[in-house]
Amino acid sequence: MNKKDLNELRKNFSGASDLFTLNHVVSAFVDAEKNIKCVKSNAFHNIPSEESDCYMDTLRRVLAGTLGKGLLEYEFPNEAYTENGAQYVLYEALTCKLDDESSVNVMLDQIVKNMDYISTYAILIGHCTYTVFNKTKNDEINPYDSVEYSFLVTAICPVEVRIDGLIYNEDDNAIEKKSAYDRIVSEIPTDGFLYPTFTGRGPDVNHVLYSVRKPKEVNASIVENVLGCKFVCTANQEKESFHTLLEDVVADELSYTVITDVNEKLKSIAEEYKNDADLPSVDDIQMRDILLDSGVSEEKAEKVQNLYREITREKPLSVCNITENKTTLATEGITIQIAKDATNKVRTQYINGRRCLLIDLDEPQIKVNGMNVTLQEMPDILADDTEEELQDEMQA
């Protein structure tokens, strides 16, 4: 599933689209002891509008996020389609369009028994249909040639227990303590998945798209135990592996300039291929050349190349996962964030035997704790000046 396929599906995942239909919805509440307390199954058109809007919004959010970060595609292993295997369970629920109680209960059990979750939660499952019009040889939509893409979208939503203190009781016209509990199902799922994936403008029953709200908090139990897939590195783990590789191998050659140059070259690759359907990645040869062009010695660049090839043997790192939108400088007690277009305004330099961080300012105004400050004109300070000479210059 690539960016083009994802964007097409997102665009049409709406009640306003004539090509999209949310057919059936199943909801279930699960307590902290993994007990399914209730299950509700309805045709979507029978659900009151105030509820149906919530279902639509929540299920749509499963497709939010960025491919490779919050949206991770996995291929089912062969054993996943054996009876009661994860793919088999999902396919049975898809085939019955969530209208068979037995198949639905098996799918719910597959999620509840195999997923680790820290609180009570709700499971929302929607059976959807998207009408896909095929294209002519000229890449134009053919209004007389269409197929239906049927899919399941599942959202895992935390349930917040609220115990309010004082409330206004309108019936008694009094302020009093609330005694009842509210269990609010969040409309923003923490996790979810789409099955089958929408690949090449059609269904791919051998792949599933896992969705996580916070890419740094991937729930591996969903990937491995619920979906039965082999867990691979997350976006955050890819970045950490890349950073560790540079720190361990390039080591004493790492500098502000090298790091920012590498990042700029990676962002240039991302920009060059931003309109491509597939996410750009970097192979070992490209990585070596990027390091060489950024000032790293040939010996260390080639060593990085060899180790990078071993680390990424199965799958090269995605450019979007190892680039930074902001550059952060940190030392004890000080943290500075530098926007992507301002890295060339910062430099390091020795002045009077001390290591200094210099920031070039285009204007004399800066903000300190939100307040405007104008920097006064000062005499130029040369790197080879002594402290006494600088004091004499400033006094003069």
Side-chain angles (χ1 to χ4, degrees), residues 63-93:
L63 298 182
T66 303
L67 276 176
K69 289 187 176 181
L71 296 172
L72 304 170
E73 183 172 348
Y74 288 93
E75 182 177 9
F76 290 108
N78 292 335
E79 59 270 20
Y81 197 70
T82 57
E83 189 171 357
N84 296 323
Q87 184 183 8
Y88 178 87
V89 169
L90 293 181
Y91 189 79
E92 289 295 301

Side-chain angles (χ1 to χ4, degrees), residues 379-381 385-396:
D380 290 339
I381 299 177
D385 283 341
T386 64
E387 184 174 353
E388 291 78 14
E389 289 172 335
L390 292 175
Q391 290 177 346
D392 290 341
E393 286 182 13
M394 294 176 70
Q395 290 173 356

